[in-house]
Each structure stands twice: as structure tokens, then as C-alpha cells.
Amino acid sequence: MGVLDTFALDGRTALVTGGYRGLGLAFSRALAEAGADVVIGGRDAAACERVAGELARETGRQVLGTGLDVTDRESVTAAVEVARDLGGRLDVVVNNAGACFHRPALEVPDEEFRAVFDTNVEGLWKMSQVAARSMADAGGGSIINIGSISAMIVNRPQWQPAYNASKAAVHQLTRSLAAEWAPLGIRVNAVAPGYVKTEMAPVDDPVFRARWIEDAPQQRYAMPEEIAPTVVFLASEASAFMTGSVVTIDGGYTVF
Ligand code: NDP
């Protein structure tokens, strides 16, 4: 087998949370292009089904859309079942769904803080646990968590204290689960992107640009397609000896 063959995902089934727009869409498309059958889970089931149909036509793979709210364990269990029904087993989960609010710490209401943790940490936890039970039965799998450089740095003036803390929790949960689940054949890694042009990041705001983009080594933000190849790599046999890693992809941002 040549080195490029180790990146192929033929015969694998992947589930991407929040996989119909933003970074999640780029991950869904890249996994299907690499050969996987893909389930796109999101709160807008109709949008997930529409995007899944488009990706199936584009890539020739089986791509399904399904309703999924990661904060609801029954919904998570149902989405994992959809993936198992599609491919006979679930091989790859991308925990991409995320929530972010920009507000100074003194003004953050408890409900907002809780909502961020419910999605970014507890939602990721629920999906990982349900998926890992399925993967363990099947002999292994790969879980890829979408963390952030916000786990390591604090951005301003778009303060986001709950988000920053939640992503730090994602990175450490990645390491914890990787250690526990390695004997089950399950690898758990995270990707920590810098600023990526999606609805979440205010990359076109002039103050944000001046402070956070023009002052960075590459002086630019990323497009979602620039993060997706690393997710394919972590899903594939090419990364077989990687678990518990957090891969930073930030154009050099965190070197300063
Ligand atoms: P978007 O806001 O474009 O997408 C967020 C996605 O998460 C949407 O599909 C959203 O669905 C989904 N989502 C939120 N809550 C839930 C939930 N309870 N159940 C299911 N899906 C949910 O942002 P990005 O694409 O930028 O973000 C994707 C991931 O990347 C996030 O984890 C984010 O923190 C991370 N990230 C983003 C960076 C960036 O600069 N953009 C940088 C670093 C990390 P819905 O349409 O229903 O709201």
C-alpha cells in the first residue's frame, strides 16, 4: 500500500455534527471526497438532507442528512443509529457543532455560559460516549474534536469567556478520552483552528482584522477547506499512531 492509499476512507462511515454549513460542511465534503459515506447531523434536518443530496451527487458517495441536537442524548443516539444503518458500523465522528457568544465577562448571564458548555463540551461528550460504545463493539474508530486556538489565547475586543473555557475543556477531554479508549482501538484527536471565514468568526470586522488578522504571521484568515484535509488525515490510517493530539492550524497565529 502506497502512502497516499493510507489517507483513503473507502468503506468507512463518518458522522459530522453541525455538518451542513461552515467548517462542518467542508469536513462533510472532504470526508466524502476521500471515500467515506457520510451522515450530516444538524438541528435543521431539512437543510442537512438538502446538503447531503448535493454532496452525494458531487462525490458519488452515500451521504445522508439527519436531525441532530447534540445537547439531547436521545437525538445523539438516533444519529449514531442512522450512521450504523448506513454503513453497518460507525468509523469516524467529527464533533464540529459549536456555539459562541461575544460578550464581556461581567455581562454574561448564567444561561448563556451554560448554553456554550451544553453544546461545546457536554454535547461533544454525549456524542463521543454514544459513538465510542458503538465503535468499541466494532473494534475501533476515530473521533475528531474541533477545538480552537481560543483554548490557548484570549481574543479581544470580541470577548468570549465561556467559549474560551469550553474549548480548553475540549482539548483536555480529548486527551482523557484518548487515554481511556486506546485499548478499545478508538483514537481521539482534536484540531485547533485559528480564524476561519464562517458565520461564527467576525473576520471582516475592521477592528478584528487590524488586531487579529493583519498582525498575524500569515496576515490572513483561513477558508474552511484549509482545515478539512487535517480532519481527513485524522480520520484515516495515515494517522494510526496519533491519539490524544491537538493539531493547531492557525497560520502561525499562536507563535506570538
Ligand atoms: P458556524 O456557526 O458556521 O457553525 C456552527 C455549527 O454548529 C452549525 O452547523 C450549528 O447548527 C451547529 N450547532 C450549534 N449547536 C448545535 C447543537 N446543539 N446541535 C447540533 N448542531 C449544533 O461556525 P463554524 O463553522 O465556524 O464552527 C464549527 C466549529 O469550529 C465549532 O466547534 C467552532 O467552535 C469551531 N471553530 C471555529 C473557528 C472559526 O474561526 N470559525 C475557529 C476555531 C474553531 P445550527 O445551524 O443549527 O445553529
Side-chain angles (χ1 to χ4, degrees):
M1 187 158 63
V3 67
L4 289 181
D5 298 322
T6 65
F7 288 80
L9 297 177
D10 301 80
R12 309 281 173 88
T13 303
L15 170 59
V16 184
T17 72
Y20 77 98
R21 67 181 175 92
L23 277 158
L25 172 56
F27 301 152
S28 300
R29 177 179 281 119
L31 291 164
E33 285 177 353
D37 294 329
V38 178
V39 173
I40 297 176
R43 290 183 294 191
D44 185 340
C48 291
E49 285 166 21
R50 178 179 49 75
V51 170
E54 290 166 8
L55 289 190
R57 281 190 292 280
E58 266 178 45
T59 63
R61 303 294 165 184
Q62 297 191 85
V63 186
L64 290 183
T66 190
L68 167 65
D69 181 342
V70 296
T71 66
D72 175 353
R73 185 172 281 270
E74 278 182 25
S75 174
V76 166
T77 303
V80 168
E81 281 304 312
V82 170
R84 277 172 68 139
D85 288 347
L86 180 67
R89 54 179 279 171
L90 174 60
D91 301 287
V92 176
V93 165
V94 184
N95 280 311
N96 164 77
C100 182
F101 300 97
H102 298 123
R103 208 187 298 278
L106 288 176
E107 295 169 18
V108 175
D110 285 348
E111 311 81 66
E112 192 175 281
F113 194 94
R114 205 173 299 126
V116 171
F117 269 71
D118 276 354
T119 303
N120 297 6
V121 185
E122 204 175 324
L124 178 148
W125 155 252
K126 288 186 174 99
M127 175 56 77
S128 300
Q129 191 187 50
V130 173
R133 286 178 179 147
S134 170
M135 289 172 174
D137 288 345
S142 173
I143 296 174
I144 300 141
N145 297 327
I146 307 307
S148 173
I149 60 167
S150 297
M152 302 169 248
I153 52 107
V154 173
N155 73 349
R156 61 199 160 95
Q158 288 84 9
W159 304 106
Q160 45 188 36
Y163 181 84
N164 296 343
S166 75
K167 290 299 184 178
V170 166
H171 291 190
Q172 187 60 357
L173 189 54
T174 298
R175 297 185 188 98
S176 295
L177 299 181
E180 276 202 50
W181 294 345
L184 304 174
I186 300 169
R187 298 186 297 112
V188 188
N189 292 289
V191 172
Y195 296 103
V196 187
K197 188 173 171 58
T198 67
E199 282 179 36
M200 186 180 281
V203 290
D204 292 323
D205 176 278
V207 178
F208 185 93
R209 286 191 70 87
R211 182 164 287 155
W212 290 102
I213 293 178
E214 282 152 25
D215 195 32
Q218 287 196 349
Q219 297 187 306
R220 68 178 185 91
Y221 50 76
M223 296 305 287
E225 293 71 26
E226 296 180 272
I227 312 300
T230 303
V231 167
V232 170
F233 166 64
L234 291 174
S236 74
E237 281 307 298
S239 61
F241 196 50
M242 281 179 74
T243 198
S245 294
V246 178
V247 183
T248 300
I249 312 173
D250 67 350
Y253 205 88
T254 45
V255 301
F256 288 150

